[in-house]
Amino acid sequence: MKIGIPRALLYYKNEKFWTTFFDEIGAEYIVSPETNKEILTRGENISIDETCLPTKLLLGHIDWLIDKCDYIFIPRVAFHRGYEMCTKFLAQTDLVCNTFRDRNIKTLFYNVYDKKYNRERKAVKKMGKFLGVKRSRIKYAYTTAKQAQQYFEMFREQHQQKVLEESGKIKILLVAHAYNVGDKYVGEPVLGTLKSLGCEPIIAEYMNEAKCIRASLEVSKTMPWAYNRHLLGAIELLKDEVDGVILLTTFPCGTDSMVNELIVRKYKELPIITLTVDSQDGTAGMETRLESFVDIIQLKKERA
Ligand code: SF4
C-alpha cells in the first residue's frame, strides 16, 4: 500500500514528523514534487474562484498524486497549541473527498478536532491501528517523529539566530505562513529577490513557535488563530532587530487580511510592505515594489 503526501499546507509544518512516522512504521509513501506550473494549473482548474491559493495548490498536488498511490494523506486539524486553526484545515479532508469523489479517492487521516491534551497522539495512534501497525511500534514511531520535527525546528532556529547576530546586511523579516514561505511558487521568488538586492531575509516562521505565541499575547489577547499568533509573536520579538517587515500573503486569505491590518496599525514605526500573491503569472510587479522598499530602508538607515 502506497501513501501519497501532498507537498502543501500542513506538510510544511509537519514534514519531519510525518515522514519520520511513516518511515518508522515501515509504510511506503510518495511526496508530490515542488509546486510547478502544471500543479498550479491542475489546482486552479478544479477549484472555485473564492478558494485561497494554498488550498488550490493543495488540490493541484493531490491531483498530481491521485493515480500514483493508494491513499491520500490529508489530516483534519482544528486546533494547535490550544488555539484555533483557519477553518480550511478542519475542512480539507472533506473538501478533498468531495472534489475528487468521481475518482474513487481513498483518504488516510487523523483528526485533531478539540483542544484536549494528547489529542494528536491519540488520533495518530488510531490511524496507525487502521494501517495494521502494532501498538508498541506506533508509540515508538510517534515519539521518534515528534523528536525529529523538534530537532529540525531547533537547528533551523539556531542557524537563523546566528545570522541575525552576525549579518551586517539589511535584515528584512518575512512574515508568511509556513506553506507560503516554503512553496516554490509563492515564497521562493520573494526570497530570491531579497537576496539579489543584498538583504538578509529573516523568516518569522523559523522563530520558536511557543515563544512567539506567548509574545503575541502582548499584542492581542483575543486573536483566535494559532499560526497567525506565531507570526505576530515573531514581529513582537524581532521588532528592534530587523530593518523592515514584509507581510507576504496569498489571495484571498481571511485570517491574514485581519491580522495584517492589526500589524500595520500596531507597528507604525517599522517599515512594512504587504505583498499578495495570487495564481497569476509574473513577478515583475513584486520585484519593483521590493526594490523601492529596500531603497527606502537604505535611505532611512543612512539618515539615521
Ligand atoms: S490561513 Fe489563509 S491562506 Fe491559510 S488556509 Fe486559511 S485562508 Fe488559506
Side-chain angles (χ1 to χ4, degrees), residues 96-120:
V96 167
C97 287
N98 191 40
T99 304
F100 296 97
R101 63 190 177 281
D102 297 334
R103 293 175 65 185
N104 297 325
I105 188 172
K106 284 198 273 183
T107 51
L108 177 71
F109 54 87
Y110 59 84
N111 295 325
V112 182
Y113 50 78
D114 63 31
K115 295 182 193 175
K116 278 189 191 143
Y117 177 68
N118 271 348
R119 171 61 68 200
E120 181 193 75

Side-chain angles (χ1 to χ4, degrees), residues 9 52-55 86-89 177 179-180 228 250 252-256:
L9 288 181
C52 69
L53 178 60
T55 305
C86 160
T87 47
K88 299 281 188 329
F89 296 99
H177 291 294
Y179 43 86
N180 287 337
N228 286 91
T250 38
C253 174
T255 67
D256 284 4

